[in-house]
Amino acid sequence: MNFDMILAAAARLDGHARHTPLLSSPFLDQIAGRRVLIKPECLQHTGSFKFRGAWSAISALAPEVRDCGVIAFSSGNHAQGVALAAKAHGIPSVIVMPADAPALKIENTRALGAEVVLYDRATQDRDEIGESLAVERGLTLIKPFDNPFVIAGQGTIGLEIAADAADLGVTQAELLVCCGGGGLTSGIALACATRAPGLRVRPVEPEGFDDVARSLISGKIETNAALSGNICDAIITPHPGEITFPIMKSRCGPGLTVSEDQALQAMAQAFLRLKIVAEPGGAVALAAALYRGDALEGDTVIAVVSGGNVDPAMFTRALATL
Amino acid sequence: MNFDMILAAAARLDGHARHTPLLSSPFLDQIAGRRVLIKPECLQHTGSFKFRGAWSAISALAPEVRDCGVIAFSSGNHAQGVALAAKAHGIPSVIVMPADAPALKIENTRALGAEVVLYDRATQDRDEIGESLAVERGLTLIKPFDNPFVIAGQGTIGLEIAADAADLGVTQAELLVCCGGGGLTSGIALACATRAPGLRVRPVEPEGFDDVARSLISGKIETNAALSGNICDAIITPHPGEITFPIMKSRCGPGLTVSEDQALQAMAQAFLRLKIVAEPGGAVALAAALYRGDALEGDTVIAVVSGGNVDPAMFTRALATL
């Protein structure tokens, strides 16, 4: 896993992933008490950064392997990223989802061209179902974060930030990243280590689900006590990845946490001042930029808004904080 | 008013206005029954395309004229565009607004650095107030659309669309533009006439406020019967401009109209599929792309989303259509 893999991913993604702009607003600068730049990956295909990693991993497969198709376990952003990237490559994709996943998510994933296989969480083992399907059909498993090509794909965001921030004269800043398993954080950190070493990459997590922050403190992989019970569901994972954690350990931190209310308020500010739609888990880095100034250094902060797949009811709840 | 003025405006805006991306979603293609590309100018500074025209006009002034400051009549997007562009140039701006304008708009315009002068609609004459201020202080009036430099600034959107659509292989398409006084429409039409002659520029207006569509049919400037009573307030003007209309007459049309419900539904789809915030008047072109397929030709349509300055209550109303 090295910088050249990110450059190679960028070449494969060229013309397929969107180069998202850097946004800003004087009103957000005022709240934060420093300059704030926002990287809106909610504007990426399928509404989250996950499309980059999925495309990177699928495009890195040998054609004869790729043509057999891919499989992923996800009911969220990774599922949509894999489905659309597979469709664009003209290959089949199978997405394994719990039968009780929201109907809209199942429908959306199917509409993006995937075959959705449902399993019963109470009686069936997800991994067993996936493995037997993979063997039967020769499908390649695309993991959501612990895959070097996925990490390299997310790292292309770091290349764009490094270049676009430098164009704005920014080479020293805190760079806050919404963090689940660490694919996005570690990819961006690897890219910036070479291209923008003055940007300090810091993972942001929901309060009470700060496995990465604690792992960075203890120096070993820590786990979350719970895996549900927070609106930032898209970035709640049991623990950092085996590939992502060593990268984060050597290049990232310290971690930050935000409350659910802060995430909702950041969603509302993104609506009001940036005209973008952020989901709760996708808004935690912006929330830290705006409301955790006490824990930040320097005069500039860059925040990645990682996704915008939020239902109208939750979005309305965020707007009510205004 | 010619193409070279748009190139000159682009040079002045370079590094100051955002180059907004072209967005798309397979779900929108499905609704429209053709390929849909979206130019999200809601992501421009101050949340609308108006920043471009304001910057273009202010930067085109001789320094000694510019330094005296500028003045504009507006309670909406043009006010914010002028205020921020003036502030960035380090010059004073005066925005004349009715005293009964929403408090938040007044506050926002002040926060962007403008001096807000309020007048009483019942007892005072706006133009008189503006003129006496302009003479007294040597302020230059920045009109919202009937100014060649403003039109040239909006025309830079056409340059970006022409280049970015060509990168996607699109050189033949309907290009739908939200239309008030016609600054945006005429600027884009002038740019595309040279750079992308296969794009047919068509103004989109709210039903019942279709002065431009009717003017294009009759060949002379027609007026609207009413100036209020529609949620698309940002694009309701008495009639097309004296400079913009001849350009539109020779290069644009036929016009399209959409209902308020269609505008709200387009806002909801922009939320759901593009993760952007559109205001009602900013969503009419997308609404026509999605719901007026009967009146469109060809396999590709490009829609400009011109602004996103909408209050939470109206946005919630749009989400309720989902």
Side-chain angles (χ1 to χ4, degrees), chain A residues 63 68 135 204 229 240 250 268 271 275 278-279 288 298-299 302 313:
Chain A
C68 296
V135 169
V204 185
S250 69
F271 160 85
K275 314 305 172 190
E279 63 190 80
D299 58 5
I302 304 171

Side-chain angles (χ1 to χ4, degrees), chain B:
Chain B
M1 186 75 243
N2 58 40
F3 179 72
D4 287 344
M5 288 181 67
I6 300 178
L7 290 184
R12 293 197 304 277
L13 266 68
D14 187 38
H16 302 292
R18 283 188 195 120
H19 182 134
T20 51
L22 280 184
L23 304 180
S24 61
S25 161
F27 295 98
L28 299 185
D29 296 351
Q30 198 171 18
I31 295 173
R34 45 172 61 86
R35 184 175 187 182
V36 185
L37 299 174
I38 296 92
K39 178 71 169 172
E41 277 294 305
C42 49
L43 302 177
Q44 192 51 258
H45 294 290
T46 69
S48 93
F49 74 97
K50 290 284 190 181
F51 177 80
R52 296 190 193 237
W55 185 283
S56 172
I58 290 172
S59 62
L61 296 172
E64 65 275 19
V65 174
R66 183 166 61 222
D67 287 347
C68 296
V70 294
I71 185 169
F73 304 104
S74 169
S75 57
N77 291 333
H78 181 57
Q80 295 192 48
V82 169
L84 187 61
K87 186 182 179 189
H89 277 88
I91 63 162
S93 66
V94 175
I95 308 292
V96 183
M97 285 188 182
D100 58 353
L104 186 67
K105 286 196 174 174
I106 296 173
E107 197 185 298
N108 281 346
T109 308
R110 281 195 181 126
L112 290 170
E115 176 186 345
V116 175
V117 172
L118 300 173
Y119 71 98
D120 182 338
R121 285 202 240 216
T123 62
Q124 294 183 288
D125 183 76
R126 188 187 77 166
D127 294 331
E128 243 171 53
I129 293 173
E131 197 169 341
S132 77
L133 275 170
V135 169
E136 218 170 89
R137 306 203 203 166
L139 303 169
T140 300
L141 174 65
I142 309 289
K143 292 187 189 178
F145 52 84
D146 239 2
N147 170 325
F149 295 103
V150 169
I151 296 169
Q154 324 305 25
T156 61
I157 296 169
L159 299 181
E160 293 177 7
I161 290 173
D164 294 343
D167 280 349
L168 297 172
V170 174
T171 54
Q172 299 285 326
E174 302 266 54
L175 200 175
L176 311 185
V177 185
C178 308
C179 190
L184 180 61
T185 306
S186 61
I188 289 176
L190 265 181
C192 289
T194 297
R195 283 288 170 84
L199 305 184
R200 179 165 74 153
V201 177
R202 302 179 64 180
V204 184
E205 296 166 290
E207 281 173 10
F209 300 86
D210 57 344
D211 52 308
V212 173
R214 287 183 288 108
S215 300
L216 289 174
I217 291 171
S218 74
K220 60 186 177 57
I221 290 180
E222 306 284 347
T223 58
N224 283 320
L227 285 176
S228 61
N230 189 287
I231 59 172
C232 303
D233 54 329
I235 59 166
I236 290 175
T237 44
H239 51 72
E242 287 173 25
I243 304 176
T244 61
F245 180 61
I247 300 170
M248 291 194 283
K249 188 177 165 183
S250 68
R251 304 190 185 280
C252 302
L256 294 156
T257 60
V258 299
S259 68
E260 289 187 310
D261 271 354
Q262 288 170 331
L264 289 169
Q265 287 171 41
M267 289 168 66
Q269 291 298 326
F271 161 86
L272 192 63
R273 303 305 183 187
L274 302 171
K275 314 305 172 188
I276 59 171
V277 175
E279 62 189 81
V284 297
L286 178 59
L290 297 179
Y291 309 119
R292 292 301 317 277
D294 58 303
L296 301 177
E297 290 175 11
D299 58 6
T300 304
V301 58
I302 304 171
V304 177
V305 171
S306 55
N309 290 313
V310 53
D311 63 52
M314 182 63 78
F315 199 74
T316 302
R317 187 174 151 192
L319 294 185
T321 67
L322 287 173

Side-chain angles (χ1 to χ4, degrees), chain A residues 272-287:
Chain A
L272 192 64
R273 302 305 183 186
L274 302 171
K275 314 305 172 190
I276 60 172
V277 176
E279 63 190 80
V284 296
L286 178 59

Side-chain angles (χ1 to χ4, degrees), chain A residues 167-232:
Chain A
D167 280 350
L168 297 172
V170 173
T171 54
Q172 300 285 325
E174 302 266 55
L175 201 176
L176 310 186
V177 185
C178 308
C179 190
L184 180 60
T185 307
S186 61
I188 289 176
L190 265 181
C192 289
T194 297
R195 283 290 170 84
L199 305 184
R200 180 165 75 152
V201 177
R202 302 181 63 180
V204 185
E205 296 167 290
E207 281 173 9
F209 301 84
D210 57 344
D211 52 308
V212 173
R214 286 183 289 107
S215 300
L216 289 174
I217 291 171
S218 73
K220 61 187 177 54
I221 289 180
E222 306 285 346
T223 58
N224 283 321
L227 285 176
S228 61
N230 190 287
I231 59 173
C232 303

